[in-house]
Amino acid sequence: MKTIYNYFNLLSLLLVVFIFTGCDDFLTESPESTYTTETFYTSQSDFTYAIASVYAAQQDLYDGQYGLFRFSIGRSDDTNVYNTNTYMDGADTFTDNSSVQGLENAWSSLYVIITRANSILVRIDDMAFEDANLKNYIKGESYALRAWAYHTLGVMFGGVPLIVDAEYKVDETKQIGRSTQEQTFAQAEADYQKAMSLLPASWDSEGTGRVTKFAAEACLGRLYMFMGNYPSAVTAFENVIGSGLYEMATEYVHCFSGDYNNSPERVWEVQYIGNLSGEGQTFSECSLPEYYTGEWAISGSSSAMQASTNLLAAYEPDDKRMDVTFVDNIIVQGGISDYTWFIKFNHGSYEPQSGTDWDVNLPIIHYTDVLMMYAEAVNEVSGPDPTIVGIINDVRDRAGLPNLTATQTGSKDAFREAIKKESRVEFAYEGLR
């Protein structure tokens, strides 16, 4: 994925050149926005730069104090938001208006993704490519990223205005009415299906981190779960599992460590690069409190979120996931912190050079999540069977816990409760709660 972000950096440089070389003639030349969208696309490589800019918008959306990842976690009961200065700006109290920066950032950034994807889709069919496969792949990526954006918007906001395969001026967008949640999800579903028909099953090393056919299908399965369409979810997850491209990590920490970015556990994740490349993330730094300096962060952050007491109580004794996910008794300003903090995304051998230099990718969907959702969907369709009971027991085995009893998995209601409890601790602090 380093290649695709290098393309984005070059694209940014080109846009700067366009802006400054046109300054003397700004009264007679096309406006900057028209110039860069209507005349930028002149070759195959331009579309490669353009798709990089869509990924870059996703990267910016996820990260930071007001990023989507932190917003989703801070709104949940995984954190004790009332006992610390978390800078949630109203998100934790479900204040839903444009003054909530995390909410505003999610809305605007997701529409940036949609707008940039549309810019590609309205032009790519008219451009001759030297590589026909690459043309299909970039189309597929555009559909997948747009699908993911509408999927996310639909979950967060219900129905939203749909802008599809077109470009509008600002005033024109204000005339587009709000669609229903069902219409928004239908658009996401259609885009996922188109993406799956165009994307490769996997990329070579130069394309590491780019969305694949099965990543799109895994996200489609998650959408079906949200919609309560369990039979379709089962089919989608069976296809991902049957691809043979993914496998559960042998150790829980490998699901999150920067050393295992883009490993077979990671179906799709937002990419970050350290080494002071300008493509690192700051979310990991935000996990520990301000003035903390030690093994898990450079200096911590005033926006760090504590682990909630009810989340900690959800773990069984001797659960190995505890030590991967949490740390307590840390030293802050010469004293011992009274709280428990998250360190799930602070693992790896790379030592960041600043608080914005973490190389740990942030997950969109993991293979363990695919397996757990598959087990949940099968249970809703036909009740528990040995295969899905085996899935939840495999997850527990990795955590060092015993198999569930027949009583805990012997009926649809019992298995549903078991999968809910296991998901709570398996995916804590991943924005899924």
Side-chain angles (χ1 to χ4, degrees):
M1 197 60 177
K2 291 182 179 179
T3 302
I4 199 75
Y5 283 124
N6 287 339
Y7 284 142
F8 172 66
N9 290 335
L10 178 56
L11 174 62
S12 300
L13 176 61
L14 290 173
L15 294 181
V16 170
V17 172
F18 290 157
I19 292 167
F20 283 99
T21 56
C23 284
D24 291 340
D25 302 314
F26 76 96
L27 293 177
T28 57
E29 297 292 337
S30 298
E32 174 199 337
S33 59
T34 303
Y35 184 70
T36 55
T37 59
E38 293 185 1
T39 65
F40 171 72
Y41 296 92
T42 61
S43 67
Q44 171 181 304
S45 61
D46 294 334
F47 285 90
T48 303
Y49 300 144
I51 194 62
S53 76
V54 190
Y55 284 105
Q58 184 188 47
Q59 183 190 48
D60 293 340
L61 162 69
Y62 244 53
D63 191 29
Q65 179 176 324
Y66 297 112
L68 178 62
F69 206 52
R70 183 175 178 275
F71 175 89
S72 301
I73 296 163
R75 175 154 280 194
S76 77
D77 56 355
D78 282 354
T79 62
N80 278 339
V81 293
Y82 294 108
N83 296 334
T84 186
N85 186 8
T86 56
Y87 290 86
M88 287 309 300
D89 198 31
D92 52 308
T93 55
F94 288 79
T95 304
D96 288 337
N97 57 50
S98 59
S99 69
V100 180
Q101 293 186 57
L103 204 64
E104 193 280 334
N105 176 63
W107 176 275
S108 59
S109 296
L110 286 162
Y111 272 106
V112 168
I113 291 171
I114 291 165
T115 300
R116 291 179 181 179
N118 283 339
S119 179
I120 293 170
L121 291 169
V122 299
R123 293 177 173 84
I124 194 167
D125 284 339
D126 295 328
M127 177 62 62
F129 270 59
E130 299 171 9
D131 185 341
N133 286 331
L134 180 61
K135 183 174 186 176
N136 282 333
Y137 296 166
I138 291 176
K139 283 181 66 175
E141 289 173 281
S142 300
Y143 281 124
L145 286 155
R146 190 174 75 181
W148 180 80
Y150 278 128
H151 176 176
T152 306
L153 283 164
V155 169
M156 293 185 70
F157 297 99
V160 298
L162 297 177
I163 305 172
V164 182
D165 295 352
E167 291 183 307
Y168 297 97
K169 296 178 181 178
V170 172
D171 288 343
E172 292 173 331
T173 64
K174 294 178 180 179
Q175 305 306 312
I176 301 172
R178 181 177 181 176
S179 299
T180 65
Q181 186 180 60
E182 290 75 17
Q183 290 168 328
T184 302
F185 285 158
Q187 181 61 53
E189 178 183 9
D191 281 350
Y192 278 135
Q193 295 284 5
K194 289 178 182 177
M196 288 155 49
S197 71
L198 294 164
L199 286 168
S202 61
W203 293 85
D204 61 22
S205 59
E206 288 295 307
T208 298
R210 298 172 77 162
V211 62
T212 66
K213 169 185 176 179
F214 293 112
E217 191 155 19
C219 289
L220 176 59
R222 176 181 280 168
L223 175 60
Y224 285 142
M225 293 294 288
F226 192 92
M227 296 167 63
N229 185 350
Y230 298 112
S232 294
V234 168
T235 300
F237 295 137
E238 283 179 341
N239 290 337
V240 177
I241 295 167
S243 72
L245 295 171
Y246 308 103
E247 59 185 29
M248 275 182 60
T250 55
E251 296 183 35
Y252 187 63
V253 69
H254 295 173
C255 298
F256 317 103
S257 169
D259 294 341
Y260 291 86
N261 285 341
N262 302 306
S263 62
E265 168 70 37
R266 323 285 186 90
V267 178
W268 191 17
E269 53 188 357
V270 183
Q271 305 288 303
Y272 296 97
I273 305 167
N275 297 313
L276 296 178
S277 63
E279 301 294 344
Q281 51 98 336
T282 188
F283 177 80
S284 297
E285 190 72 16
C286 291
S287 298
L288 277 296
E290 194 171 19
Y291 306 117
Y292 168 79
T293 56
E295 181 179 0
W296 306 111
I298 300 294
S299 59
S301 169
S302 57
S303 60
M305 297 177 288
Q306 302 160 5
S308 69
T309 51
N310 90 4
L311 171 60
L312 294 171
Y315 286 80
E316 298 172 42
D318 301 319
D319 191 328
K320 293 179 179 179
R321 291 171 291 199
M322 285 283 289
D323 289 341
V324 174
T325 308
F326 307 109
V327 65
D328 53 20
N329 296 320
I330 61 173
I331 304 298
V332 180
Q333 288 187 305
I336 299 177
S337 168
D338 294 330
Y339 302 108
T340 300
W341 307 91
F342 292 99
I343 53 168
K344 198 170 206 177
F345 300 98
N346 299 63
H347 300 282
S349 59
Y350 174 69
E351 296 184 9
Q353 304 303 298
S354 73
T356 61
D357 189 45
W358 290 83
D359 72 341
V360 180
N361 290 343
L362 300 179
I364 297 172
I365 191 162
H366 279 171
Y367 188 55
T368 303
D369 194 11
V370 170
L371 292 172
M372 294 278 276
M373 286 191 290
Y374 171 68
E376 182 181 353
V378 169
N379 183 62
E380 294 301 325
V381 171
S382 56
D385 63 37
T387 297
I388 65 171
V389 171
I391 287 172
I392 194 170
N393 283 333
D394 285 344
V395 173
R396 290 175 60 81
D397 180 65
R398 184 172 67 184
L401 299 176
N403 288 352
L404 294 176
T405 66
T407 301
Q408 293 170 303
T409 61
S411 69
K412 181 179 287 190
D413 289 344
F415 189 86
R416 184 188 300 120
E417 187 63 24
I419 206 84
K420 285 171 62 177
K421 288 182 177 180
E422 205 63 44
S423 295
R424 175 84 196 273
V425 294
E426 176 72 19
F427 306 118
Y429 207 51
E430 293 186 39
L432 301 175
R433 177 61 175 163

